[in-house]
């Protein structure tokens, strides 16, 4: 069950609306008091670019009127009265600059100064008293003006910033909602603060905001057929490890529906100081892709099985034709050689396809034995050198190495790498092959000086049926199966395979095999 917290909980108060302070039709005293407090509270207007003229004007006039009554009817001491009026005016100016910006502050300043002149005029000041009264009023007027300007300006800047932040949030939300993939954003503790409708659609239920990834069970998802614990969820993993998680695949089982396949990535969002402030996750429904892949696999499986028998018979027929025709002329011999070569190629392609589908279905078996790796490399080179006389294959043996592995499958890897080196490099260029040892592994390298592989392609060439698509490669035949099969074989021997390459400068493929690997291979 996804936890239940209301969606509103997550939607930030992007734009604080000054009129949004209760039900308008509710005229209870409490509600009226609430409305009044909200109306008077200057903080309630932060981010609201609505500046009142009427309220500061009326209020300042009322303050002046009250001051007049208070000062000259009740207290009647000019010294105390002066200080009191100045204090009251400063407070009013600060209040209105903060509530209604520069305009509010200036209106209050103007009323205060006019009131001072009113005092000078009505109290009939003259000579020295009049001059100092006017001077004081001008100085105070300037100070009030400055005060109103500074506070009013700051208030208006804050409003603009809040408004801009709100606009950006709204823009981001609109983009997130439009995306064709599911997006979840959490705070730094993994609490969901934003999710788009695609997430709800994919999960088949509303993703409740406030769900804590890593703590709350999200759904009955399975990863490699095992139930997913909340901490395995990519968002939780990214937050726990501080590292992004890319393209993790899950199967999601929804009640009463067929399982769907998800590909999920998660990454952290950091502030300028590099501190994690949030995390974002992208959820992609790859069910259709998976179905297409399955159909492709089924087709490859069926086609390779169906092709295997007629091609094997073809090969037998060609061989027996070759034996039966004793006195062939040169042309017939060439035709038969061509037939043999093409049938063998066809046989190799079909057997590669069969291996791919066996790997997919887990039916590729290994027969382990102990053998000398350096000798196997040497035999493979001899065999390939014979059929490619225009290449110089240089072999360096750094140590004599015994390993425990499937000899035929390792031979298959070597043939793949060496034929690729031949295929993807110009005639008459060298190929360097070496066999050596590291602490625990045998290390084989196959180096060519051919077309090389771009950085971003280097990982993908080991994917199933992947071929680099550029003009240069178009002239090379192949299915893109060789490296995938090689990688799987090496992986299942608990070894490693990788490439170091530079475009136009050649490639070196490496693979390792454990020296002591007597355990049963998978
Ligand atoms: P295939 O050679 O049948 O296309 P592979 O799986 O053996 O399939 O190789 C996959 C891709 O990797 C090739 O299409 C090619 O683009 C690239 N590649 C493999 N080996 C080399 C190499 N030695 N130099 C340059 N590119 C290579």
């Amino acid at each position: 069950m996804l936890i239940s917290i209301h969606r509103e909980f997550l939607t930030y108060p992007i734009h604080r609306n000054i009129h949004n302070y209760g039900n308008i039709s509710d005229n209870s005293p409490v509600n009226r008091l609430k409305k009044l407090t909200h109306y008077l509270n200057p903080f309630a207007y932060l981010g609201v670019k609505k500046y009142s003229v009427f309220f500061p004007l009326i209020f300042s006039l009322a303050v002046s009127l009250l001051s007049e009554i208070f000062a000259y009817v009740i207290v009647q001491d000019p010294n105390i009265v002066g200080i009191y009026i100045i204090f009251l005016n400063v407070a009013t100016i600060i209040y209105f600059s903060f509530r209604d910006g520069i305009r509010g502050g200036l209106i209050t300043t103007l009323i205060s100064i006019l009131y001072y002149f009113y005092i000078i005029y009505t109290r009939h000041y003259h000579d020295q008293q009049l001059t100092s009264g006017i001077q004081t009023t001008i100085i105070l007027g300037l100070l009030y003006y400055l005060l109103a300007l500074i506070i009013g300006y700051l208030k208006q800047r804050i409003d603009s910033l809040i408004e801009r932040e709100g606009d950006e949030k709204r823009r981001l939300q609109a983009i997130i909602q439009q995306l064709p993939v599911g997006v979840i954003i959490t705070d730094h503790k993994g609490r969901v603060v934003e999710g788009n409708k695609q997430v709800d659609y994919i999960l088949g239920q509303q993703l409740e905001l406030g769900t804590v990834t890593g703590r709350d069970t999200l759904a009955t998802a399975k990863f490699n057929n095992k139930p997913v614990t909340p901490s395995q969820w990519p968002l939780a993993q990214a937050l726990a490890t501080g590292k992004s998680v890319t393209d993790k695949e899950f199967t999601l089982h929804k009640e009463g529906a067929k399982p769907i396949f998800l590909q999920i990535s998660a990454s952290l969002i950091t502030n300028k100081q590099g501190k994690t402030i949030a995390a974002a996750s992208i959820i992609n429904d790859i069910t259709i892709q998976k179905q297409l892949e399955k159909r492709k696999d089924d087709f490859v499986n069926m086609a390779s099985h169906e092709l295997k028998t007629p091609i094997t018979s073809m090969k037998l027929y060609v061989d027996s034709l070759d034996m039966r025709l004793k006195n062939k002329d040169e042309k017939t011999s060439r035709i038969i050689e061509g037939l043999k070569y093409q049938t063998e190629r066809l046989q190799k392609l079909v057997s590669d396809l069969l291996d791919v589908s066996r790997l997919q279905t887990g039916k590729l078996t290994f027969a382990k034995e102990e053998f000398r790796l350096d000798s196997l490399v040497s035999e493979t080179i001899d065999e390939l050198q014979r059929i490619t006389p225009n290449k110089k294959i240089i072999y360096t043996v750094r140590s004599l190495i015994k390993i425990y592995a499937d000899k035929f499958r390792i031979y298959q890897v070597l043939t793949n790498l060496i034929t690729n080196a031949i295929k993807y490099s110009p005639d008459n260029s060298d190929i360097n092959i070496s066999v050596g040892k590291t602490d625990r592994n045998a290390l084989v390298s196959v180096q060519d000086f051919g077309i090389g592989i771009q950085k971003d392609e280097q990982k993908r060439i080991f994917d199933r049926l992947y071929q680099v698509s550029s003009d240069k490669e178009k002239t090379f035949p192949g299915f893109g199966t060789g490296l995938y099969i090689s990688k799987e074989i090496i992986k299942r021997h608990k070894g490693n395979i990788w490439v170091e390459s530079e475009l136009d400068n050649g490639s070196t493929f490496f693979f390792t095999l454990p020296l002591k690997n007597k355990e049963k291979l998978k």
Side-chain angles (χ1 to χ4, degrees), residues 416-417 420-421 423-424 448 450-453 461 463 466-469 473 476-484 501 507 509:
N416 271 331
L417 296 185
N420 274 349
K423 198 157 82 170
Y424 298 108
D448 67 63
I451 59 172
I453 307 156
I461 53 169
D463 289 350
Y466 187 82
Q467 286 191 296
V468 179
S469 55
E473 273 93 329
F476 300 106
F479 276 169
T481 49
L483 287 180
Y484 169 71
S501 179
S507 319
F509 282 82

PDB file of all heavy atoms in Angstrom, residues 416-417 420-421 423-424 448 450-453 461 463 466-469 473 476-484 501 507 509, ligand 1:
ATOM      1  N   ASN A 416      36.923 -14.495 -32.126  1.00  0.00           N
ATOM      2  CA  ASN A 416      36.137 -13.265 -32.310  1.00  0.00           C
ATOM      3  C   ASN A 416      37.016 -12.039 -32.268  1.00  0.00           C
ATOM      4  O   ASN A 416      36.918 -11.155 -33.121  1.00  0.00           O
ATOM      5  CB  ASN A 416      35.095 -13.142 -31.187  1.00  0.00           C
ATOM      6  CG  ASN A 416      33.806 -13.831 -31.546  1.00  0.00           C
ATOM      7  OD1 ASN A 416      33.472 -13.930 -32.719  1.00  0.00           O
ATOM      8  ND2 ASN A 416      33.091 -14.310 -30.547  1.00  0.00           N
ATOM      9  N   LEU A 417      37.858 -11.963 -31.239  1.00  0.00           N
ATOM     10  CA  LEU A 417      38.677 -10.757 -31.076  1.00  0.00           C
ATOM     11  C   LEU A 417      39.685 -10.616 -32.210  1.00  0.00           C
ATOM     12  O   LEU A 417      39.882  -9.523 -32.746  1.00  0.00           O
ATOM     13  CB  LEU A 417      39.408 -10.782 -29.721  1.00  0.00           C
ATOM     14  CG  LEU A 417      38.521 -10.754 -28.476  1.00  0.00           C
ATOM     15  CD1 LEU A 417      39.370 -10.651 -27.220  1.00  0.00           C
ATOM     16  CD2 LEU A 417      37.541  -9.589 -28.524  1.00  0.00           C
ATOM     17  N   ASN A 420      37.949  -9.754 -35.491  1.00  0.00           N
ATOM     18  CA  ASN A 420      37.560  -8.332 -35.473  1.00  0.00           C
ATOM     19  C   ASN A 420      38.772  -7.453 -35.748  1.00  0.00           C
ATOM     20  O   ASN A 420      38.689  -6.485 -36.496  1.00  0.00           O
ATOM     21  CB  ASN A 420      36.965  -7.955 -34.120  1.00  0.00           C
ATOM     22  CG  ASN A 420      35.489  -8.257 -34.044  1.00  0.00           C
ATOM     23  OD1 ASN A 420      34.860  -8.565 -35.058  1.00  0.00           O
ATOM     24  ND2 ASN A 420      34.922  -8.180 -32.856  1.00  0.00           N
ATOM     25  N   ALA A 421      39.911  -7.790 -35.098  1.00  0.00           N
ATOM     26  CA  ALA A 421      41.132  -6.992 -35.297  1.00  0.00           C
ATOM     27  C   ALA A 421      41.524  -7.009 -36.780  1.00  0.00           C
ATOM     28  O   ALA A 421      41.943  -5.988 -37.336  1.00  0.00           O
ATOM     29  CB  ALA A 421      42.254  -7.539 -34.433  1.00  0.00           C
ATOM     30  N   LYS A 423      39.371  -7.634 -39.291  1.00  0.00           N
ATOM     31  CA  LYS A 423      38.283  -7.023 -40.050  1.00  0.00           C
ATOM     32  C   LYS A 423      38.320  -5.500 -39.980  1.00  0.00           C
ATOM     33  O   LYS A 423      38.085  -4.824 -40.969  1.00  0.00           O
ATOM     34  CB  LYS A 423      36.972  -7.549 -39.449  1.00  0.00           C
ATOM     35  CG  LYS A 423      35.760  -7.394 -40.305  1.00  0.00           C
ATOM     36  CD  LYS A 423      34.673  -8.398 -39.932  1.00  0.00           C
ATOM     37  CE  LYS A 423      33.845  -7.950 -38.756  1.00  0.00           C
ATOM     38  NZ  LYS A 423      32.650  -8.756 -38.511  1.00  0.00           N
ATOM     39  N   TYR A 424      38.628  -4.954 -38.806  1.00  0.00           N
ATOM     40  CA  TYR A 424      38.519  -3.503 -38.621  1.00  0.00           C
ATOM     41  C   TYR A 424      39.858  -2.774 -38.700  1.00  0.00           C
ATOM     42  O   TYR A 424      40.021  -1.701 -38.124  1.00  0.00           O
ATOM     43  CB  TYR A 424      37.808  -3.193 -37.298  1.00  0.00           C
ATOM     44  CG  TYR A 424      36.400  -3.729 -37.268  1.00  0.00           C
ATOM     45  CD1 TYR A 424      36.054  -4.829 -36.475  1.00  0.00           C
ATOM     46  CD2 TYR A 424      35.400  -3.154 -38.065  1.00  0.00           C
ATOM     47  CE1 TYR A 424      34.757  -5.332 -36.473  1.00  0.00           C
ATOM     48  CE2 TYR A 424      34.104  -3.653 -38.070  1.00  0.00           C
ATOM     49  CZ  TYR A 424      33.797  -4.741 -37.271  1.00  0.00           C
ATOM     50  OH  TYR A 424      32.517  -5.237 -37.275  1.00  0.00           O
ATOM     51  N   ASP A 448      45.026  -3.878 -32.415  1.00  0.00           N
ATOM     52  CA  ASP A 448      45.114  -3.605 -33.859  1.00  0.00           C
ATOM     53  C   ASP A 448      45.347  -2.116 -34.074  1.00  0.00           C
ATOM     54  O   ASP A 448      45.256  -1.318 -33.140  1.00  0.00           O
ATOM     55  CB  ASP A 448      43.830  -4.056 -34.569  1.00  0.00           C
ATOM     56  CG  ASP A 448      42.619  -3.255 -34.179  1.00  0.00           C
ATOM     57  OD1 ASP A 448      42.599  -2.042 -34.444  1.00  0.00           O
ATOM     58  OD2 ASP A 448      41.668  -3.831 -33.590  1.00  0.00           O
ATOM     59  N   GLY A 450      43.667  -0.208 -36.398  1.00  0.00           N
ATOM     60  CA  GLY A 450      42.623   0.045 -37.385  1.00  0.00           C
ATOM     61  C   GLY A 450      41.791   1.273 -37.102  1.00  0.00           C
ATOM     62  O   GLY A 450      42.295   2.281 -36.596  1.00  0.00           O
ATOM     63  N   ILE A 451      40.490   1.133 -37.387  1.00  0.00           N
ATOM     64  CA  ILE A 451      39.606   2.312 -37.372  1.00  0.00           C
ATOM     65  C   ILE A 451      39.286   2.825 -35.971  1.00  0.00           C
ATOM     66  O   ILE A 451      38.838   3.946 -35.818  1.00  0.00           O
ATOM     67  CB  ILE A 451      38.282   1.997 -38.110  1.00  0.00           C
ATOM     68  CG1 ILE A 451      37.562   0.815 -37.442  1.00  0.00           C
ATOM     69  CG2 ILE A 451      38.523   1.709 -39.574  1.00  0.00           C
ATOM     70  CD1 ILE A 451      36.174   0.573 -37.981  1.00  0.00           C
ATOM     71  N   GLY A 452      39.502   2.017 -34.935  1.00  0.00           N
ATOM     72  CA  GLY A 452      39.233   2.454 -33.557  1.00  0.00           C
ATOM     73  C   GLY A 452      37.741   2.601 -33.271  1.00  0.00           C
ATOM     74  O   GLY A 452      36.906   2.467 -34.158  1.00  0.00           O
ATOM     75  N   ILE A 453      37.445   2.867 -31.990  1.00  0.00           N
ATOM     76  CA  ILE A 453      36.040   2.978 -31.571  1.00  0.00           C
ATOM     77  C   ILE A 453      35.881   4.230 -30.724  1.00  0.00           C
ATOM     78  O   ILE A 453      36.692   4.487 -29.829  1.00  0.00           O
ATOM     79  CB  ILE A 453      35.620   1.747 -30.728  1.00  0.00           C
ATOM     80  CG1 ILE A 453      35.935   0.471 -31.492  1.00  0.00           C
ATOM     81  CG2 ILE A 453      34.148   1.790 -30.361  1.00  0.00           C
ATOM     82  CD1 ILE A 453      36.110  -0.730 -30.603  1.00  0.00           C
ATOM     83  N   ILE A 461      29.441  -1.687 -27.476  1.00  0.00           N
ATOM     84  CA  ILE A 461      29.769  -2.722 -28.464  1.00  0.00           C
ATOM     85  C   ILE A 461      29.657  -4.128 -27.874  1.00  0.00           C
ATOM     86  O   ILE A 461      29.577  -5.099 -28.619  1.00  0.00           O
ATOM     87  CB  ILE A 461      31.183  -2.523 -29.085  1.00  0.00           C
ATOM     88  CG1 ILE A 461      32.226  -2.408 -27.983  1.00  0.00           C
ATOM     89  CG2 ILE A 461      31.216  -1.349 -30.026  1.00  0.00           C
ATOM     90  CD1 ILE A 461      33.631  -2.487 -28.523  1.00  0.00           C
ATOM     91  N   ASP A 463      27.093  -5.007 -26.175  1.00  0.00           N
ATOM     92  CA  ASP A 463      25.660  -5.311 -26.067  1.00  0.00           C
ATOM     93  C   ASP A 463      25.246  -6.269 -27.177  1.00  0.00           C
ATOM     94  O   ASP A 463      25.878  -6.329 -28.235  1.00  0.00           O
ATOM     95  CB  ASP A 463      24.821  -4.035 -26.202  1.00  0.00           C
ATOM     96  CG  ASP A 463      24.967  -3.143 -24.981  1.00  0.00           C
ATOM     97  OD1 ASP A 463      25.553  -3.623 -23.990  1.00  0.00           O
ATOM     98  OD2 ASP A 463      24.510  -1.994 -25.045  1.00  0.00           O
ATOM     99  N   TYR A 466      24.715  -5.384 -31.188  1.00  0.00           N
ATOM    100  CA  TYR A 466      25.080  -3.976 -31.367  1.00  0.00           C
ATOM    101  C   TYR A 466      26.216  -3.822 -32.361  1.00  0.00           C
ATOM    102  O   TYR A 466      27.231  -4.506 -32.283  1.00  0.00           O
ATOM    103  CB  TYR A 466      25.485  -3.352 -30.020  1.00  0.00           C
ATOM    104  CG  TYR A 466      25.700  -1.861 -30.146  1.00  0.00           C
ATOM    105  CD1 TYR A 466      24.615  -0.995 -30.120  1.00  0.00           C
ATOM    106  CD2 TYR A 466      26.975  -1.340 -30.355  1.00  0.00           C
ATOM    107  CE1 TYR A 466      24.790   0.371 -30.285  1.00  0.00           C
ATOM    108  CE2 TYR A 466      27.154   0.030 -30.522  1.00  0.00           C
ATOM    109  CZ  TYR A 466      26.064   0.872 -30.481  1.00  0.00           C
ATOM    110  OH  TYR A 466      26.246   2.225 -30.649  1.00  0.00           O
ATOM    111  N   GLN A 467      26.007  -2.922 -33.312  1.00  0.00           N
ATOM    112  CA  GLN A 467      27.069  -2.607 -34.260  1.00  0.00           C
ATOM    113  C   GLN A 467      27.216  -1.107 -34.324  1.00  0.00           C
ATOM    114  O   GLN A 467      26.219  -0.386 -34.314  1.00  0.00           O
ATOM    115  CB  GLN A 467      26.702  -3.125 -35.650  1.00  0.00           C
ATOM    116  CG  GLN A 467      26.837  -4.629 -35.764  1.00  0.00           C
ATOM    117  CD  GLN A 467      26.730  -5.058 -37.208  1.00  0.00           C
ATOM    118  OE1 GLN A 467      25.698  -4.890 -37.818  1.00  0.00           O
ATOM    119  NE2 GLN A 467      27.798  -5.608 -37.742  1.00  0.00           N
ATOM    120  N   VAL A 468      28.459  -0.645 -34.373  1.00  0.00           N
ATOM    121  CA  VAL A 468      28.684   0.798 -34.491  1.00  0.00           C
ATOM    122  C   VAL A 468      28.179   1.219 -35.863  1.00  0.00           C
ATOM    123  O   VAL A 468      28.487   0.577 -36.856  1.00  0.00           O
ATOM    124  CB  VAL A 468      30.191   1.123 -34.359  1.00  0.00           C
ATOM    125  CG1 VAL A 468      30.431   2.613 -34.513  1.00  0.00           C
ATOM    126  CG2 VAL A 468      30.719   0.619 -33.031  1.00  0.00           C
ATOM    127  N   SER A 469      27.378   2.302 -35.875  1.00  0.00           N
ATOM    128  CA  SER A 469      26.885   2.715 -37.193  1.00  0.00           C
ATOM    129  C   SER A 469      27.627   3.958 -37.659  1.00  0.00           C
ATOM    130  O   SER A 469      27.388   5.053 -37.181  1.00  0.00           O
ATOM    131  CB  SER A 469      25.385   3.006 -37.133  1.00  0.00           C
ATOM    132  OG  SER A 469      25.150   3.958 -36.126  1.00  0.00           O
ATOM    133  N   GLU A 473      32.168   1.481 -40.922  1.00  0.00           N
ATOM    134  CA  GLU A 473      31.822   0.100 -40.613  1.00  0.00           C
ATOM    135  C   GLU A 473      30.863  -0.541 -41.613  1.00  0.00           C
ATOM    136  O   GLU A 473      30.721  -1.740 -41.633  1.00  0.00           O
ATOM    137  CB  GLU A 473      31.188  -0.008 -39.226  1.00  0.00           C
ATOM    138  CG  GLU A 473      32.210  -0.161 -38.157  1.00  0.00           C
ATOM    139  CD  GLU A 473      32.568   1.181 -37.599  1.00  0.00           C
ATOM    140  OE1 GLU A 473      32.516   2.190 -38.340  1.00  0.00           O
ATOM    141  OE2 GLU A 473      32.911   1.223 -36.430  1.00  0.00           O
ATOM    142  N   PHE A 476      31.712  -3.617 -43.445  1.00  0.00           N
ATOM    143  CA  PHE A 476      32.071  -4.864 -42.768  1.00  0.00           C
ATOM    144  C   PHE A 476      30.831  -5.697 -42.478  1.00  0.00           C
ATOM    145  O   PHE A 476      29.904  -5.209 -41.842  1.00  0.00           O
ATOM    146  CB  PHE A 476      32.791  -4.576 -41.449  1.00  0.00           C
ATOM    147  CG  PHE A 476      34.052  -3.809 -41.627  1.00  0.00           C
ATOM    148  CD1 PHE A 476      34.113  -2.464 -41.289  1.00  0.00           C
ATOM    149  CD2 PHE A 476      35.188  -4.408 -42.152  1.00  0.00           C
ATOM    150  CE1 PHE A 476      35.268  -1.738 -41.444  1.00  0.00           C
ATOM    151  CE2 PHE A 476      36.350  -3.683 -42.308  1.00  0.00           C
ATOM    152  CZ  PHE A 476      36.391  -2.352 -41.967  1.00  0.00           C
ATOM    153  N   PRO A 477      30.831  -6.938 -42.919  1.00  0.00           N
ATOM    154  CA  PRO A 477      29.659  -7.760 -42.631  1.00  0.00           C
ATOM    155  C   PRO A 477      29.675  -8.226 -41.172  1.00  0.00           C
ATOM    156  O   PRO A 477      30.709  -8.214 -40.519  1.00  0.00           O
ATOM    157  CB  PRO A 477      29.826  -8.938 -43.576  1.00  0.00           C
ATOM    158  CG  PRO A 477      31.292  -9.019 -43.835  1.00  0.00           C
ATOM    159  CD  PRO A 477      31.864  -7.654 -43.647  1.00  0.00           C
ATOM    160  N   GLY A 478      28.540  -8.640 -40.649  1.00  0.00           N
ATOM    161  CA  GLY A 478      28.477  -9.151 -39.272  1.00  0.00           C
ATOM    162  C   GLY A 478      27.116  -8.873 -38.682  1.00  0.00           C
ATOM    163  O   GLY A 478      26.331  -8.092 -39.217  1.00  0.00           O
ATOM    164  N   PHE A 479      26.846  -9.538 -37.545  1.00  0.00           N
ATOM    165  CA  PHE A 479      25.548  -9.394 -36.892  1.00  0.00           C
ATOM    166  C   PHE A 479      25.649  -8.618 -35.586  1.00  0.00           C
ATOM    167  O   PHE A 479      24.655  -8.344 -34.947  1.00  0.00           O
ATOM    168  CB  PHE A 479      24.995 -10.787 -36.535  1.00  0.00           C
ATOM    169  CG  PHE A 479      24.269 -11.463 -37.652  1.00  0.00           C
ATOM    170  CD1 PHE A 479      23.926 -12.802 -37.538  1.00  0.00           C
ATOM    171  CD2 PHE A 479      23.895 -10.771 -38.792  1.00  0.00           C
ATOM    172  CE1 PHE A 479      23.234 -13.448 -38.548  1.00  0.00           C
ATOM    173  CE2 PHE A 479      23.197 -11.403 -39.811  1.00  0.00           C
ATOM    174  CZ  PHE A 479      22.872 -12.754 -39.690  1.00  0.00           C
ATOM    175  N   GLY A 480      26.864  -8.314 -35.160  1.00  0.00           N
ATOM    176  CA  GLY A 480      27.021  -7.664 -33.857  1.00  0.00           C
ATOM    177  C   GLY A 480      26.812  -8.643 -32.715  1.00  0.00           C
ATOM    178  O   GLY A 480      26.377  -8.272 -31.631  1.00  0.00           O
ATOM    179  N   THR A 481      27.140  -9.906 -32.959  1.00  0.00           N
ATOM    180  CA  THR A 481      26.935 -10.919 -31.913  1.00  0.00           C
ATOM    181  C   THR A 481      28.236 -11.293 -31.210  1.00  0.00           C
ATOM    182  O   THR A 481      28.231 -11.699 -30.050  1.00  0.00           O
ATOM    183  CB  THR A 481      26.344 -12.214 -32.508  1.00  0.00           C
ATOM    184  OG1 THR A 481      27.136 -12.559 -33.640  1.00  0.00           O
ATOM    185  CG2 THR A 481      24.910 -12.049 -32.901  1.00  0.00           C
ATOM    186  N   GLY A 482      29.361 -11.162 -31.953  1.00  0.00           N
ATOM    187  CA  GLY A 482      30.637 -11.690 -31.477  1.00  0.00           C
ATOM    188  C   GLY A 482      31.044 -11.190 -30.107  1.00  0.00           C
ATOM    189  O   GLY A 482      31.371 -11.988 -29.212  1.00  0.00           O
ATOM    190  N   LEU A 483      31.027  -9.873 -29.921  1.00  0.00           N
ATOM    191  CA  LEU A 483      31.500  -9.328 -28.646  1.00  0.00           C
ATOM    192  C   LEU A 483      30.532  -9.629 -27.514  1.00  0.00           C
ATOM    193  O   LEU A 483      30.950  -9.813 -26.369  1.00  0.00           O
ATOM    194  CB  LEU A 483      31.734  -7.817 -28.755  1.00  0.00           C
ATOM    195  CG  LEU A 483      32.959  -7.409 -29.564  1.00  0.00           C
ATOM    196  CD1 LEU A 483      33.104  -5.897 -29.610  1.00  0.00           C
ATOM    197  CD2 LEU A 483      34.238  -8.026 -28.987  1.00  0.00           C
ATOM    198  N   TYR A 484      29.249  -9.681 -27.838  1.00  0.00           N
ATOM    199  CA  TYR A 484      28.264 -10.019 -26.802  1.00  0.00           C
ATOM    200  C   TYR A 484      28.520 -11.445 -26.297  1.00  0.00           C
ATOM    201  O   TYR A 484      28.596 -11.684 -25.083  1.00  0.00           O
ATOM    202  CB  TYR A 484      26.844  -9.883 -27.370  1.00  0.00           C
ATOM    203  CG  TYR A 484      25.781 -10.466 -26.473  1.00  0.00           C
ATOM    204  CD1 TYR A 484      25.451  -9.835 -25.278  1.00  0.00           C
ATOM    205  CD2 TYR A 484      25.129 -11.652 -26.816  1.00  0.00           C
ATOM    206  CE1 TYR A 484      24.486 -10.372 -24.441  1.00  0.00           C
ATOM    207  CE2 TYR A 484      24.163 -12.191 -25.988  1.00  0.00           C
ATOM    208  CZ  TYR A 484      23.842 -11.565 -24.801  1.00  0.00           C
ATOM    209  OH  TYR A 484      22.901 -12.095 -23.981  1.00  0.00           O
ATOM    210  N   SER A 501      40.519   2.139 -26.693  1.00  0.00           N
ATOM    211  CA  SER A 501      40.562   2.444 -28.117  1.00  0.00           C
ATOM    212  C   SER A 501      40.522   3.937 -28.364  1.00  0.00           C
ATOM    213  O   SER A 501      40.045   4.706 -27.538  1.00  0.00           O
ATOM    214  CB  SER A 501      39.365   1.782 -28.800  1.00  0.00           C
ATOM    215  OG  SER A 501      39.372   2.071 -30.164  1.00  0.00           O
ATOM    216  N   SER A 507      42.530  -0.262 -31.711  1.00  0.00           N
ATOM    217  CA  SER A 507      41.904  -0.702 -30.454  1.00  0.00           C
ATOM    218  C   SER A 507      42.718  -1.835 -29.846  1.00  0.00           C
ATOM    219  O   SER A 507      43.361  -2.597 -30.560  1.00  0.00           O
ATOM    220  CB  SER A 507      40.510  -1.261 -30.709  1.00  0.00           C
ATOM    221  OG  SER A 507      39.821  -0.492 -31.642  1.00  0.00           O
ATOM    222  N   PHE A 509      41.781  -4.935 -27.256  1.00  0.00           N
ATOM    223  CA  PHE A 509      40.807  -5.656 -26.438  1.00  0.00           C
ATOM    224  C   PHE A 509      41.573  -6.489 -25.422  1.00  0.00           C
ATOM    225  O   PHE A 509      42.594  -7.098 -25.756  1.00  0.00           O
ATOM    226  CB  PHE A 509      39.929  -6.562 -27.311  1.00  0.00           C
ATOM    227  CG  PHE A 509      38.857  -5.800 -28.041  1.00  0.00           C
ATOM    228  CD1 PHE A 509      39.132  -5.133 -29.221  1.00  0.00           C
ATOM    229  CD2 PHE A 509      37.569  -5.739 -27.526  1.00  0.00           C
ATOM    230  CE1 PHE A 509      38.150  -4.411 -29.890  1.00  0.00           C
ATOM    231  CE2 PHE A 509      36.585  -5.025 -28.182  1.00  0.00           C
ATOM    232  CZ  PHE A 509      36.874  -4.356 -29.371  1.00  0.00           C
TER     233      PHE A 509
HETATM  234  P1  LIG B   1      30.396  -7.719 -35.698  1.00  0.00           P
HETATM  235  O1  LIG B   1      31.853  -7.624 -35.855  1.00  0.00           O
HETATM  236  O2  LIG B   1      29.822  -8.983 -36.194  1.00  0.00           O
HETATM  237  O3  LIG B   1      29.649  -6.526 -36.191  1.00  0.00           O
HETATM  238  P2  LIG B   1      30.970  -7.727 -32.850  1.00  0.00           P
HETATM  239  O4  LIG B   1      30.074  -7.973 -31.696  1.00  0.00           O
HETATM  240  O5  LIG B   1      32.162  -8.589 -32.990  1.00  0.00           O
HETATM  241  O6  LIG B   1      30.062  -7.767 -34.139  1.00  0.00           O
HETATM  242  O7  LIG B   1      31.422  -6.215 -32.773  1.00  0.00           O
HETATM  243  C1  LIG B   1      30.479  -5.211 -32.495  1.00  0.00           C
HETATM  244  C2  LIG B   1      30.926  -3.887 -33.082  1.00  0.00           C
HETATM  245  O8  LIG B   1      32.098  -3.439 -32.415  1.00  0.00           O
HETATM  246  C3  LIG B   1      31.327  -4.003 -34.541  1.00  0.00           C
HETATM  247  O9  LIG B   1      30.213  -3.784 -35.373  1.00  0.00           O
HETATM  248  C4  LIG B   1      32.355  -2.905 -34.679  1.00  0.00           C
HETATM  249  O10 LIG B   1      31.715  -1.692 -34.976  1.00  0.00           O
HETATM  250  C5  LIG B   1      32.974  -2.770 -33.296  1.00  0.00           C
HETATM  251  N1  LIG B   1      34.306  -3.424 -33.221  1.00  0.00           N
HETATM  252  C6  LIG B   1      34.581  -4.645 -32.735  1.00  0.00           C
HETATM  253  N2  LIG B   1      35.910  -4.910 -32.772  1.00  0.00           N
HETATM  254  C7  LIG B   1      36.487  -3.805 -33.284  1.00  0.00           C
HETATM  255  C8  LIG B   1      37.845  -3.415 -33.581  1.00  0.00           C
HETATM  256  N3  LIG B   1      38.874  -4.256 -33.353  1.00  0.00           N
HETATM  257  N4  LIG B   1      38.050  -2.194 -34.104  1.00  0.00           N
HETATM  258  C9  LIG B   1      37.016  -1.356 -34.345  1.00  0.00           C
HETATM  259  N5  LIG B   1      35.721  -1.647 -34.091  1.00  0.00           N
HETATM  260  C10 LIG B   1      35.463  -2.846 -33.579  1.00  0.00           C
END
